Amino acid sequence: MPMPMPMPNPPHLAMNRLQLELRRLYAIQPTKGQGADPEEPCLIDSGGRVRAMVLDLARPADWSSLSKLWQGVQADLELPAPAIAVSGRDGFQLWFSLAEPVPASQAMAFLESLRARYLGDIKADRVALMPAADAASPLQARHARLVPAQQVNSGHWSAFVAPDLAPVFNDEPWLDISPSPEGQSDLLLRLKSIPLADFQRALERLMPAPVPGPFQQVSGAGACLDPKRFLYSVMNDNTVALALRIEAAKALLLYTDDPHPH
């Protein structure tokens, strides 16, 4: 009996594996009525929630500066490495993946905190954070264009790149031809999403803790004009960060008389 002839692969099959990896890392389930493009994973829903967070450093591309942030999120914040991409225009991008969607405002706060911590000496107009508020619709947000993609004017391509090859693209942060879908898939396959609990922990570590002044109200306790009373209220307030409570206790030790206010 003759063997059945195998069915030919669809012409888009080479992209299937790349699409699966992009969906695994960055796609969000569209909200009802939003629709879904099978060829283009959705990065933001109508409620403004995202799993992908993108930081772009450009004009010029500078991997030596961005690599400090790439390394810092792993070493300092103990988060998975973000994907590295050349934008196809004039810069590098870092693509962060979240295991669960968060509001765009939280994503922006995270990226802004990273910018302030690791890129504080770089002019703000060289750094783009996405999702970003849409000037035409302040309540809406716009996201980055998915990688890889061809640029309309130049014909250059954006692409994900390996960390050891990133410095090669400092002068020309693009590819002249379409990147291999298999190679792009292999790069993304190694990446992991940030668990929600780890994202929230990192965001708390990045955000500067408010330090109340001696004349500010503390947790509804009233205006503490007396420094000793203020320190005591901070030390005993469970809503205040533990580190601040410890510092308040240390400060109270400087008083030689009874540390408990009357």
Side-chain angles (χ1 to χ4, degrees), residues 55 57-60 62-69 112-127:
L55 187 148
L57 176 61
R59 301 180 302 276
D62 181 3
W63 176 244
S64 62
S65 294
L66 196 58
S67 65
K68 298 175 184 177
L69 192 155
E112 177 58 35
S113 297
L114 289 181
R115 185 201 64 77
R117 178 165 181 170
Y118 296 102
L119 303 175
D121 58 341
I122 291 177
K123 292 182 179 180
D125 61 1
R126 290 182 55 202
V127 183

Side-chain angles (χ1 to χ4, degrees), residues 1 47 65 111 203 214 245 258:
M1 178 180 294
S65 294
L111 293 175
L203 186 57
R245 295 171 64 192
D258 182 8

Side-chain angles (χ1 to χ4, degrees), residues 105-160:
S105 58
Q106 286 189 20
M108 179 58 68
F110 175 78
L111 293 175
E112 177 58 35
S113 297
L114 289 181
R115 185 201 64 77
R117 178 165 181 170
Y118 296 102
L119 303 175
D121 58 341
I122 291 177
K123 292 182 179 180
D125 61 1
R126 290 182 55 202
V127 183
L129 310 177
M130 292 160 281
D134 192 331
S137 304
L139 297 180
Q140 299 297 320
R142 52 185 172 82
H143 218 307
R145 189 180 182 192
L146 203 60
V147 175
Q150 188 175 28
Q151 309 304 305
V152 175
N153 295 330
S154 65
H156 297 151
W157 283 80
S158 62
F160 294 106

Side-chain angles (χ1 to χ4, degrees), residues 15 17-27 39 41 43 51 95 146-148 160 188:
M15 290 296 292
R17 186 164 160 252
L18 175 55
Q19 289 173 353
L20 287 174
E21 287 302 319
L22 290 171
R23 291 180 185 279
R24 177 181 69 86
L25 291 169
Y26 307 119
E39 299 296 324
L43 295 184
R51 290 183 57 221
W95 283 70
L146 203 60
V147 175
F160 294 106
L188 297 179

Side-chain angles (χ1 to χ4, degrees), residues 31-48:
T31 52
K32 185 177 180 181
Q34 185 176 2
D37 184 346
E39 299 296 324
E40 186 83 0
C42 180
L43 295 184
I44 185 167
D45 67 11
S46 59

Side-chain angles (χ1 to χ4, degrees), residues 212-216 218 224 226-235:
F215 299 102
Q216 290 179 312
V218 180
C224 299
D226 176 61
K228 185 166 60 175
R229 184 181 295 276
F230 165 77
L231 291 170
Y232 187 77
S233 66
V234 170
M235 184 181 68

